[in-house]
Amino acid sequence: MLKIVLTLGIRPDLIRASRIIKLLEQHPDVDLKFVWSGQHYADNLKDVFIRDLGLPEPDIELEAGGATDAETVSAVISKLHPVLEELAPDVAVFLGDTNTVMGCIAAAQLNIPIVHIEGCMRSYDWRMPEEKYRTVIDHLSDVVYTYFPEYFDQGVAEGLNPRNIVIIENLIVDVLDDFYYAKRDEFEEFASPEFFADRQLEPGDFYLMTWHRRENVEEDLPVTAILELLSHSPRMVYFPASYRTQKRLAAMNVEIPEQVRMVDPIGYREFLALLVNSAGVVTDSGTVVEESAVLGIPSLQMRRSTERPQVYDCRSSVKFDPGSQQDYAAPEELFGKFEALAATEWKHELGDGFASQRLVEDLVARLQGGTIRGHEAADHHLDIARSYIGDGL
Ligand code: UDP
């Protein structure tokens, strides 16, 4: 049996990996161990997603919390190390760009092959810890599964071996196929008139908002800019707020605009039911802009830069940089552009719904064929070195 340890730690990891987990679980040649780092641990950030998405409970819970990123990362590494040592898997798999992926250091120390899902994305915004984490794990990985040719090129430009980067397309399309398109009737039933009445919302006449990114929460300027923007919203804003954001808003003692209804984070079924019935999403989330592009809902993206430009390419999203005084000046114009998107149609090019399958097939083939150790294929690195130093190497 091929022994695979998959380590995840936050809400969107469960969403993005949902079909991969099911495919690996069902695979006759695979023994999957699902490890949860504990970065997210509340029911409404973890368990509700396991239930909503029909996922198995994690086999191992690391409970690697911490008051700072440094504490969390060191706890993930030190708690994952003995688990990997004992299980001695054929490969350690990580997804995304969070404190949890830094657990790859433990796999690297044990010389266990590393796989990074959602690799080679770059925002080129070095303020973001996520950008630093992605870069580190991509370069430690033996195999990187990436979404698009432009990401492949980014990896190759950084010196990664092209043979170790595999393009699969975006996993979110698979997830929405399984969880939304295959269950539309259930969603229609779930999003009943009472559902909206309970939340004092009119279907089609509100924005759904998320706001959690460090660079938008931890500085005063973006917080003030976002609240100023929201105070000009022509519609009600329903805001399931991350705990980090709630804490910061309380600490800053700022006034929340009257259009905004702030609630605790909600489950995936509820979130998607609100999303598809909203007039648009206002968000700094990477995943939410992709989901809205696929589901035909406009997004107003509160980010200076993104590692996922495809939503601008297909024109499903408008940009607001909360860290810049410049954008701060014209909220009405911005909402005008955002509202205008609803009258347009776009065709997203995020994927065909077979990304998870491509990944699992390639991973199993590499494990069975003995080619999982991408770092041992040093020819590419020698080629690069020769191109600089010459043949005397
Ligand atoms: N989401 C959710 N409930 C919420 C907020 C978000 O189910 O209250 C989902 C959303 O649909 C998306 C994912 O969580 O799939 C996004 O998570 P987040 O914004 O935390 O992470 P990011 O995508 O920025 O990594």
Side-chain angles (χ1 to χ4, degrees):
M1 287 291 258
L2 307 168
K3 210 188 263 184
I4 299 178
V5 170
L6 170 67
T7 305
L8 304 175
I10 62 165
R11 163 178 74 189
D13 294 352
L14 289 170
I15 296 170
R16 293 182 168 278
S18 57
R19 198 193 282 176
I20 295 173
I21 294 173
K22 289 177 192 166
L23 290 174
L24 289 175
E25 268 229 308
Q26 290 157 7
H27 201 293
D29 301 328
V30 170
D31 173 14
L32 174 69
K33 291 281 179 277
F34 172 22
V35 177
W36 187 252
S37 76
Q39 207 182 322
H40 279 173
Y41 50 85
D43 180 86
N44 61 345
L45 291 175
K46 174 193 166 219
D47 304 290
V48 70
F49 292 89
I50 292 180
R51 288 194 298 273
D52 277 359
L53 291 156
L55 295 174
E57 289 293 331
D59 298 294
I60 295 159
E61 303 260 3
L62 298 180
E63 296 179 11
T68 62
D69 291 332
E71 280 178 20
T72 307
V73 167
S74 40
V76 174
I77 297 170
S78 57
K79 291 185 167 193
L80 186 59
H81 191 281
V83 169
L84 291 176
E85 201 165 30
E86 196 192 321
L87 294 174
D90 296 301
V91 67
V93 181
F94 299 86
L95 184 154
D97 52 23
T98 59
N99 287 335
T100 298
V101 302
M102 288 296 94
C104 70
I105 304 281
Q109 288 164 337
L110 293 163
N111 200 25
I112 293 168
I114 298 169
V115 161
H116 184 209
I117 305 176
E118 208 172 87
C120 295
M121 286 182 157
R122 297 290 181 267
S123 65
Y124 301 103
D125 184 346
W126 207 245
R127 295 173 308 158
M128 298 171 58
E130 294 93 329
E131 182 78 355
K132 294 161 189 161
Y133 291 165
R134 285 180 206 124
T135 309
V136 170
I137 188 168
D138 280 339
H139 285 261
L140 286 181
S141 289
D142 290 83
V143 184
V144 173
Y145 291 101
T146 194
Y147 288 165
F148 302 114
E150 55 269 34
Y151 295 156
F152 177 95
D153 293 346
Q154 284 167 183
V156 173
E158 285 179 14
L160 298 183
N161 186 339
R163 282 198 295 171
N164 301 338
I165 313 175
V166 183
I167 300 171
I168 55 168
E169 301 191 349
N170 196 318
L171 296 164
I172 203 68
V173 182
D174 308 15
V175 178
L176 292 172
D177 277 353
D178 289 346
F179 192 68
Y180 178 73
Y181 288 109
K183 300 181 176 174
R184 278 185 98 146
D185 295 350
E186 267 177 50
F187 267 95
E188 267 159 39
E189 220 172 286
F190 181 74
S192 62
E194 298 77 54
F195 173 86
F196 290 102
D198 285 350
R199 291 161 183 75
Q200 294 162 284
L201 294 172
E202 278 295 320
D205 187 23
F206 66 94
Y207 299 135
L208 180 62
M209 178 161 109
T210 74
W211 169 15
H212 74 289
R213 225 163 254 288
R214 249 170 266 231
E215 64 272 19
N216 284 344
V217 172
E218 272 158 23
E219 303 285 324
D220 287 355
L221 170 68
V223 172
T224 320
I226 289 171
L227 292 174
E228 169 68 13
L229 175 80
L230 294 172
S231 71
H232 291 82
S233 169
R235 299 180 193 267
M236 176 84 204
V237 179
Y238 195 77
F239 176 28
S242 81
Y243 293 115
R244 181 211 299 268
T245 311
Q246 292 192 34
K247 233 160 121 184
R248 262 290 282 165
L249 292 174
M252 281 176 72
N253 201 15
V254 283
E255 207 169 301
I256 310 293
E258 60 182 5
Q259 299 95 318
V260 179
R261 171 119 27 83
M262 193 158 81
V263 296
D264 282 343
I266 56 181
Y268 199 41
R269 192 181 309 276
E270 180 175 349
F271 192 87
L272 286 187
L274 288 166
L275 197 158
V276 295
N277 285 289
S278 71
V281 292
V282 179
T283 186
D284 61 3
S285 159
T287 314
V288 173
V289 289
E290 293 172 344
E291 288 164 336
S292 45
V294 173
L295 295 166
I297 302 293
S299 61
L300 194 165
Q301 206 173 168
M302 307 189 292
R303 294 182 68 178
R304 175 171 301 170
S305 45
T306 178
E307 64 290 337
R308 303 159 199 267
Q310 299 78 19
V311 294
Y312 292 127
D313 294 344
C314 77
R315 298 181 195 281
S316 67
S317 195
V318 292
K319 174 183 157 174
F320 169 64
D321 175 5
S324 140
Q325 298 281 357
Q326 224 175 351
D327 274 352
Y328 187 23
E332 289 88 356
E333 200 185 316
L334 198 65
F335 277 113
K337 279 194 206 163
F338 181 34
E339 285 283 319
L341 284 183
T344 65
E345 276 193 18
W346 59 81
K347 194 177 161 310
H348 79 82
E349 293 190 350
L350 292 175
D352 59 3
F354 292 95
S356 311
Q357 190 180 323
R358 278 196 258 310
L359 185 152
V360 169
E361 280 172 7
D362 183 87
L363 179 60
V364 167
R366 280 172 194 256
L367 286 166
Q368 286 175 333
T371 57
I372 191 72
R373 288 192 179 273
H375 273 291
E376 286 176 5
D379 53 339
H380 170 69
H381 300 285
L382 280 176
D383 284 348
I384 292 177
R386 277 200 191 95
S387 72
Y388 286 107
I389 304 168
D391 274 338
L393 196 75

